[in-house]
Amino acid sequence: MSGGKTFSRRKLLTSLGIAGAALVSGSLVTHTFAEQNVTGSVYGNDCDCNADDISYRLAAGLTERTVGDRLRESVSVKDFGARGDGVTNDTAAIQAAIDYLNSIGGGSLYFPTGVYRATGVQLYSFITLRGPGHNVWGFANRGKGAVIKSWSAGKIFFSAGATVENITFDGLTLVGLESFGTEDTQGIVLHWSIGVIINNCDFFLFKHEAFWQQGGGTLRMHNCKIFGVSRKGVFPFPDERRRATVRLSGHDNMITNTEFGGDYSGDQVNLPNCAVKLENAAGNMFANCVFEGADVGVMIAGPDNNFVNCRADINYGHGFWFTREDPENDVPPWRIRLSNCWAHRNGRYGRNLFDNFRIESGKYIRDIQMTNCRSSNWTQDAWVHRYGLYDGAGDTLVVAFRDEGAATKWFDGIAGYSGPQASFKQQVVASSGTATPDVTGLSVLRFNNSEAKTIAGFLNGVNGQTLDLITANSYTSISHNAAIKTNELATKALVPDKLYRFKCISGIWYETN
């Protein structure tokens, strides 16, 4: 309605044309209406009125509202003066748009196709930043989507102070300043956040983190390509922490169908660049993800983290690395579960230097379970990983693990083991005397005793079960008695780095090799 005039929805849609009709019908518009505006199309160009003067009804019998009210359901950065031409600093325009949405309690901000230059934009709760969809590998000058590229060193987006919640990024590409980290750029850094969603987004060419969750949790990330952390410098960094393309310090995050990549630092001692790093992070889930190209594929510190159908590939150091960066203060990795995970072609810094799966020794690093996991390399590569699985913690339960590469050892304690797909656990018995370890469901048992120990029997074995015994040192012996029969018909001291195979027949364990 304008100046007492009313018109139908059909007339309004006809006057707006295809693009305008799409907007009023519920879709976003990224095109202008040639040289005609809405009011002029309906009433003539001599009408002095705006969108708030025009009444609008979706269908007969529904509530009438103004076109202005309808248009404000989604705001475009170009409404606030953003150019998106790849050369203009659009920081102030983007910030003004976000500030406006924050002033009305939140809303959706649309980025039409273009390259928007910005650094230092502050985020608030209940804001959605949306673009037209994936770019082609995210490079800034291809014009295939909405690209937000760093204007200068610093963070493109950040939050500060109180917790922010319910922020969404969808269909955008974020880019640092050119290749190989020529400036100290970061993508999104959230001080403390809850309920952030990142869908169908690409991140590229950041010297530091593409995304950094410094606290909080419940991040949902899906179908993204995230490449960053190309720092080549002297370690330790000022905060004495390793960098990562994605750093997570929160809880209950879920990341799916996402590819993470980084750059190698050249520092083979400290391995400062990770594709993904969990810092005291708990209860996170990764599914169908790839970690590649960095010093470390994924570094895990914190409890109750889960990985399903994930791959660590062509990293220069370790693939999956379970450790505590700060042994005194970091929460250790424990109650970790890996299922159907694959570590492939890691250790690119050199032959027999790094491991596909590495579990460090240390206080409270324990209770890690691996099911149906695989380690491998390509024989034509100039590098070969050292261990398929290095278990320094001594408390790892492994079911159906296979190393298909040419590793020196598939896990610490036995050379060249190529037995059946194994279900194994390390048995640590600290005190001297005799022991009868529980072998329920196991096919490999590894000993790492600190004092002399004699194994007098095995509990809960079943008829036909095969058990491979391995020791990391010379403190373990196997008794010859009514329950266990050694080939020597006498107590046998186990030699480190050698396999001893026993089979249960009618309740008695016989040595078979």
Side-chain angles (χ1 to χ4, degrees):
M1 178 180 296
S2 177
K5 300 179 181 180
T6 61
F7 56 91
S8 68
R9 176 173 178 270
R10 177 176 297 178
K11 182 175 181 181
L12 174 61
L13 297 182
T14 301
S15 68
L16 291 174
I18 296 175
L23 183 143
V24 177
S25 298
S27 300
L28 293 168
V29 172
T30 60
H31 300 84
T32 58
F33 307 149
E35 298 180 355
Q36 184 91 303
N37 60 36
V38 173
T39 305
S41 177
V42 178
Y43 294 113
N45 287 325
D46 59 344
C47 179
D48 183 16
C49 52
N50 59 43
D52 284 327
D53 297 320
I54 304 172
S55 63
Y56 159 75
R57 183 182 291 114
L58 180 64
L62 297 182
T63 302
E64 183 178 286
R65 56 197 294 209
T66 68
V67 171
D69 183 44
R70 176 66 179 85
L71 292 173
R72 280 187 290 271
E73 290 180 0
S74 179
V75 173
S76 171
V77 290
K78 293 198 171 183
D79 294 335
F80 293 82
R83 300 292 297 275
D85 57 10
V87 295
T88 302
N89 185 353
D90 286 325
T91 302
I94 297 172
Q95 188 67 69
I98 290 175
D99 290 345
Y100 165 74
L101 291 174
N102 183 50
S103 72
I104 62 173
S108 179
L109 178 61
Y110 184 67
F111 289 77
T113 294
V115 179
Y116 302 86
R117 304 294 300 276
T119 296
V121 177
Q122 185 169 358
L123 296 170
Y124 302 99
S125 298
F126 308 109
I127 302 290
T128 293
L129 286 73
R130 193 181 307 276
H134 273 286
N135 198 356
V136 179
W137 282 100
F139 293 110
N141 298 317
R142 295 192 178 184
K144 301 295 184 181
V147 177
I148 306 172
K149 182 178 179 180
S150 297
W151 173 256
S152 61
K155 315 170 186 70
I156 294 181
F157 294 106
F158 75 98
S159 70
T163 300
V164 293
E165 56 183 311
N166 296 336
I167 298 174
T168 296
F169 298 85
D170 193 354
L172 294 168
T173 295
L174 273 66
V175 179
L177 287 175
E178 306 308 331
S179 61
F180 306 116
T182 56
E183 297 286 346
D184 288 330
T185 53
Q186 294 171 296
I188 304 169
V189 180
L190 300 179
H191 171 64
W192 197 273
S193 60
I194 298 292
V196 172
I197 298 173
I198 304 177
N199 283 330
N200 304 314
C201 290
D202 300 338
F203 296 72
F204 293 93
L205 305 180
F206 291 98
K207 186 171 182 178
H208 299 296
E209 295 79 10
F211 177 80
W212 187 0
Q213 176 199 61
Q214 297 180 334
T218 62
L219 166 73
R220 300 295 181 263
M221 180 181 289
H222 176 71
N223 196 31
C224 297
K225 294 188 289 289
I226 306 181
F227 289 80
V229 63
S230 57
R231 169 116 184 190
K232 290 181 172 67
V234 178
F235 186 84
F237 303 137
D239 62 358
E240 298 186 346
R241 291 283 182 171
R242 289 174 173 84
R243 297 290 188 250
T245 298
V246 170
R247 291 172 73 177
L248 301 177
S249 297
H251 62 87
D252 298 304
N253 301 307
M254 295 186 66
I255 296 91
T256 58
N257 297 2
T258 294
E259 184 178 8
F260 303 92
D263 195 8
Y264 69 96
S265 67
D267 184 347
Q268 301 183 33
V269 176
N270 296 296
L271 303 177
N273 291 349
C274 305
V276 170
K277 182 184 176 193
L278 303 184
E279 299 178 311
N280 303 321
N284 299 292
M285 168 67 78
F286 289 80
N288 305 323
C289 293
V290 177
F291 317 101
E292 62 185 6
D295 288 337
V296 177
V298 54
M299 178 178 169
I300 304 156
D304 299 307
N305 295 298
N306 296 273
F307 297 82
V308 179
N309 300 333
C310 292
R311 186 179 85 236
D313 194 357
I314 58 173
N315 294 287
Y316 285 77
H318 306 305
F320 292 83
W321 190 15
F322 305 84
T323 188
R324 301 172 73 184
E325 192 169 26
D326 181 345
E328 298 300 323
N329 299 307
D330 282 357
V331 179
W334 55 292
R335 291 200 305 260
I336 307 294
R337 304 293 181 263
L338 283 79
S339 178
N340 301 323
C341 290
W342 181 22
H344 179 56
R345 302 179 67 198
N346 298 293
R348 296 182 68 181
Y349 277 131
R351 299 178 67 87
N352 294 323
L353 296 177
F354 301 99
D355 310 321
N356 272 338
F357 295 89
R358 183 174 182 85
I359 304 167
E360 296 290 356
S361 60
K363 189 175 182 180
Y364 303 126
I365 298 179
R366 66 178 188 270
D367 192 18
I368 297 171
Q369 295 187 13
M370 301 172 62
T371 303
N372 196 32
C373 293
R374 175 186 174 194
S375 163
S376 63
N377 69 280
W378 281 2
T379 56
Q380 62 265 42
D381 288 336
W383 67 91
V384 177
H385 62 269
R386 179 177 51 186
Y387 303 152
L389 169 61
Y390 175 89
D391 178 16
D395 190 42
T396 302
L397 175 61
V398 181
V399 179
F401 180 90
R402 182 178 292 276
D403 182 29
E404 299 177 357
T408 303
K409 300 180 181 180
W410 77 305
F411 66 93
D412 183 34
I414 181 167
Y417 180 69
S418 58
Q421 291 191 5
S423 173
F424 70 84
K425 187 169 186 177
Q426 180 165 271
Q427 177 75 27
V428 180
V429 185
S431 60
S432 60
T434 61
T436 53
D438 189 338
V439 297
T440 302
L442 300 183
S443 59
V444 178
L445 191 60
R446 178 177 182 263
F447 300 99
N448 189 21
N449 298 315
S450 58
E451 299 179 7
K453 197 75 177 180
T454 299
I455 305 303
F458 302 109
L459 296 178
N460 300 318
V462 297
N463 192 45
Q465 181 177 355
T466 297
L467 188 64
D468 291 342
L469 306 183
I470 308 158
T471 183
N473 52 47
S474 58
Y475 287 124
T476 304
S477 299
I478 300 295
S479 176
H480 177 78
N481 55 40
I484 303 178
K485 305 297 182 182
T486 66
N487 287 342
E488 289 82 358
L489 304 180
T491 297
K492 170 183 286 190
L494 300 186
V495 176
D497 218 22
K498 184 177 180 181
L499 181 144
Y500 302 87
R501 181 165 292 169
F502 286 77
K503 187 170 184 177
C504 183
I505 302 175
S506 300
I508 300 174
W509 290 90
Y510 294 90
E511 186 177 5
T512 61
N513 61 330

